[in-house]
Amino acid sequence: MEFWLDLNDEQRELREWVHGFAASVIRPAASEWDEREETPWPVLQEAAKIGLYGFEFLANTWSDGSGLSLPIANEELFWGDGGIGMAISGTSLAVAAIFGSGTSDQLLEWVPQCFGDAADPKVGAFCSTEPEAGSDVAAMRTRAVYHEATDEWVISGQKAYATNGGIANVHVVTASVDPSLGSRGQAAFVVPPGTKGLAGTRKLKKLGLRASHTADVFLDDVRVPGSCLLGGKEALDKRLARAREGQRRSGQAAMRTFELSRPAVGAQALGIARAAYEYALEYAKTRVQFGRPIIENQAVAFALADMRTEIDAARLLVWRAAWMGRNEKPFEAGEGSMSKLKAGEVAVAVTEKAVQILGGAGYLREHPVERMYRDAKIYTIFEGTSEIQRLVIARAVSGVQIR
Ligand SMILES: Cc1cc2nc3c(=O)[nH]c(=O)nc-3n(C[C@H](O)[C@H](O)[C@H](O)COP(=O)(O)OP(=O)(O)OC[C@H]3O[C@@H](n4cnc5c(N)ncnc54)[C@H](O)[C@@H]3O)c2cc1C
């Protein structure tokens, strides 16, 4: 069995292509959209025009049997800017939910509508978190009730922190269909464009990722056709019957869904970390104090050495988990969680060090490390906090139901 870490020609081309877009379109726009705290629609349009935003792009990255294409693309995108990166990537949360739970017909019907087209790009939203159900997904209160006579589901509840919530063309909403079963009694639904009763009420003001829209979403008797239940009614009924009989889904199967998406999120954090590191490295070579560039002091040079080492270590974990996911290797030690945990924490530590290396300049908006520092923090919070990642890893390696 051979082992190598070289990227192949296609992966290298992909990296250069996304990097080019990040450097020429995203970077120059980053500060403006951070200040405006708005979705950068013109940038999305540019990305859609060149084929970087859309179903085809995701399908192409999926066709890479090594699993590395998506983390490579994400790292470059977020190297450009975290907020704009999330404005471009936020839709993939909804797409991943449709891909993970939907039938192939549902995939074909809804995924293109999540993205729109190059002339008129749209976004998708995945609404799972609730005010009382963050890390504790089983505490979800949003209810979906089936009305057989009309073959409709009626959904009511409140969702919190939804990326693209209220501005999305397609919302994917999770709801409990049988609260007595906890998280096993939940299902995901597509809420089609223009459906009455769904409203993104409050746009949330954030520390970072400000070019990405985040909002609370209210669902007031939202009626969707039976066909909007992802996976279909028959599969849901079977799943609920198994849960009622007390058959446990294997821990590995339950964990797998989340583990699969985590390296892609870790790669986003990595992009922000690398951008801050590179900026600090250049600054340290040119900033002169005590008659010499500050990088000539070990305290500064060693900090940069640590930053680079941590970034490279995080990337290896991200690539390993992405490869494992694509090649259906079991995540026996929570390797997906490891990758997101490490990359998130590295991003926070590296961006903080970058601010420090720039001194007072690092604290100003004139330099991008201030924004990168704010953007990086989300990576220890969303898509499972660092504590939840540690919980997954600890349970996986110990076999103990640690709380
Ligand atoms: C910018 C942004 C975008 C987001 N986008 C989306 C989105 O698109 N869709 C979506 O559904 N959600 C989204 N979220 C929500 C996000 O996933 C949650 O905020 C996250 O899962 C944490 O939930 P919480 O905020 O309720 O924190 P809590 O669950 O209340 O956690 C608070 C603290 O307690 C700790 N904690 C909780 N339980 C345990 C435990 N058992 N052991 C140890 N520590 C514990 C946590 O780690 C954390 O430090 C987004 C959030 C933000 C800020």
Side-chain angles (χ1 to χ4, degrees), residues 93 126 128-129 134-135 161-163 206 378 381-383 385 387:
L93 296 171
F126 176 62
S128 176
T129 305
S135 303
Y161 305 111
T163 299
K206 306 194 294 292
I378 193 62
I381 297 172
F382 71 0
E383 295 272 319
T385 64
E387 291 74 22

Side-chain angles (χ1 to χ4, degrees), residues 33 38-46 53 120-123 167:
W33 292 99
E38 285 170 14
T39 300
W41 290 106
V43 181
L44 241 72
Q45 206 157 13
E46 287 292 303
Y53 181 74
D120 185 18
K122 309 274 188 206
V123 291
I167 63 164

Side-chain angles (χ1 to χ4, degrees), residues 48-71:
K49 247 189 240 161
I50 65 159
L52 188 52
Y53 181 74
F55 185 31
E56 213 178 309
F57 175 71
L58 274 192
N60 284 342
T61 58
W62 183 249
S63 70
D64 176 356
S66 75
L68 296 193
S69 283
L70 188 55

